[in-house]
Amino acid sequence: MRRLYITLLALTAIALGMSAQQYRARHDSVWVYNSWEAIMDQWPDTVIINPEITAWTPFDIEFEAIDKNVNHMLKKQTVAVAVGDSIWLINTQWLRDNKYKGDCKKMDDYTPLFFNAKVAFIQCVPTHTSTGMALLGALLGDSDAFTPDPWADEADFFWIDFEAKRVDKVDHKKLSELLGDYPDLRRRFEQMADYKERYMVQSFFIDYVQRAERDPGYPDILDRLYPPQPLQ
């Protein structure tokens, strides 16, 4: 869970500092993961040295290497990449190519990913209004360039449902559905006068993520991706 929060803060900082313009930077290395097994094992399939990173928005980030075979891998095979120690981005084309439905159809290139062993979700926002220099600072390791606030922007969370192969916005209806696993949390959420507001949805969603992570009965991502087959 600590990794998830570090990532959340880093990517919120990016979101606070990006405009509709594009910005380019180069980073020493980007760690490439071509499967969820590799992601969970923290064992990258390869490392790309000094790729060009184009941030069309903080939630639409493109990577380009010199080698065209590597570029093809980044577009079609890669599940996610890690930039530095804490910034994770999922390949939305991989989701669509693997027949995930829902809101991933509205996403382009790579977009922020948060995960632990049991849950994974995306952060995305349709509009951006500030400067892009904070994105470059984040990618180049300048953590003093901004003061992150997890709930300050207009980003929504999008739940990755590995069994139904869907990516859906976490609004109050979706969160009530998810909280069905934990009736006490659901009651508290639905009793809030402002339970439909983004900040309240996101706050209770993080509570749900924490509860799921601690729940020994909640299946791991890999168990949902690859359920055990019955013995013949």
Side-chain angles (χ1 to χ4, degrees):
M1 179 58 67
R2 181 173 179 272
R3 179 178 67 236
L4 185 148
Y5 280 120
I6 291 172
T7 309
L8 177 60
L9 292 175
L11 285 167
T12 300
I14 291 174
L16 289 173
M18 189 65 200
S19 74
Q21 301 176 17
Q22 73 179 72
Y23 288 86
R24 286 192 171 93
R26 286 195 178 274
H27 196 274
D28 287 342
S29 58
V30 171
W31 304 82
V32 178
Y33 298 82
N34 292 340
S35 69
W36 280 98
E37 294 96 325
I39 291 170
M40 293 305 167
D41 290 340
Q42 296 287 284
W43 194 264
D45 290 274
T46 190
V47 179
I48 302 175
I49 305 300
N50 203 31
E52 185 174 90
I53 303 171
T54 302
W56 303 99
T57 77
F59 307 99
D60 180 355
I61 297 173
E62 188 174 6
F63 296 88
E64 186 171 359
I66 296 173
D67 189 304
K68 62 173 144 182
N69 291 324
V70 173
N71 283 328
H72 177 79
M73 177 188 67
L74 285 169
K75 290 182 186 300
K76 303 297 289 184
Q77 296 173 248
T78 298
V79 178
V81 300
V83 182
D85 294 331
S86 58
I87 298 175
W88 284 82
L89 301 156
I90 191 168
N91 181 7
T92 61
Q93 186 62 52
W94 180 89
L95 290 168
R96 291 187 295 275
D97 287 348
N98 282 272
K99 303 188 185 310
Y100 280 73
K101 306 297 184 184
D103 290 310
C104 62
K105 294 180 179 180
K106 305 172 186 175
M107 302 170 185
D108 293 312
D109 300 316
Y110 284 76
T111 199
L113 169 69
F114 313 122
F115 67 94
N116 57 36
K118 299 192 174 187
V119 303
F121 59 98
I122 291 168
Q123 186 183 36
C124 201
V125 66
T127 59
H128 324 283
T129 56
S130 58
T131 67
M133 295 309 296
L135 174 64
L136 297 180
L139 294 176
L140 298 174
D142 182 6
S143 60
D144 298 325
F146 24 66
T147 304
D149 176 354
W151 318 122
D153 61 14
E154 296 183 354
D156 287 306
F157 292 146
F158 294 81
W159 177 253
I160 303 176
D161 186 329
F162 294 97
E163 292 165 311
K165 300 194 91 170
R166 292 190 58 85
V167 176
D168 292 308
K169 176 181 171 180
V170 182
D171 58 13
H172 67 282
K173 293 180 181 178
K174 183 63 181 179
L175 182 55
S176 288
E177 176 190 324
L178 292 171
L179 292 178
D181 293 333
Y182 306 110
D184 61 317
L185 203 53
R186 181 175 181 174
R187 282 193 299 272
R188 282 171 45 210
F189 170 64
E190 293 179 346
Q191 287 170 0
M192 294 292 176
D194 48 357
Y195 76 101
K196 293 183 180 180
E197 299 296 327
R198 178 185 287 109
Y199 74 90
M200 188 61 68
V201 169
Q202 292 183 339
S203 178
F204 272 87
F205 177 66
I206 294 301
D207 289 344
Y208 171 76
V209 170
Q210 290 181 303
R211 181 76 69 88
E213 186 185 36
R214 296 193 301 265
D215 183 352
Y218 198 104
D220 289 348
I221 288 173
L222 294 182
D223 290 335
R224 298 203 303 279
L225 276 169
Y226 311 109
Q229 298 299 314
L231 295 174
Q232 298 296 327

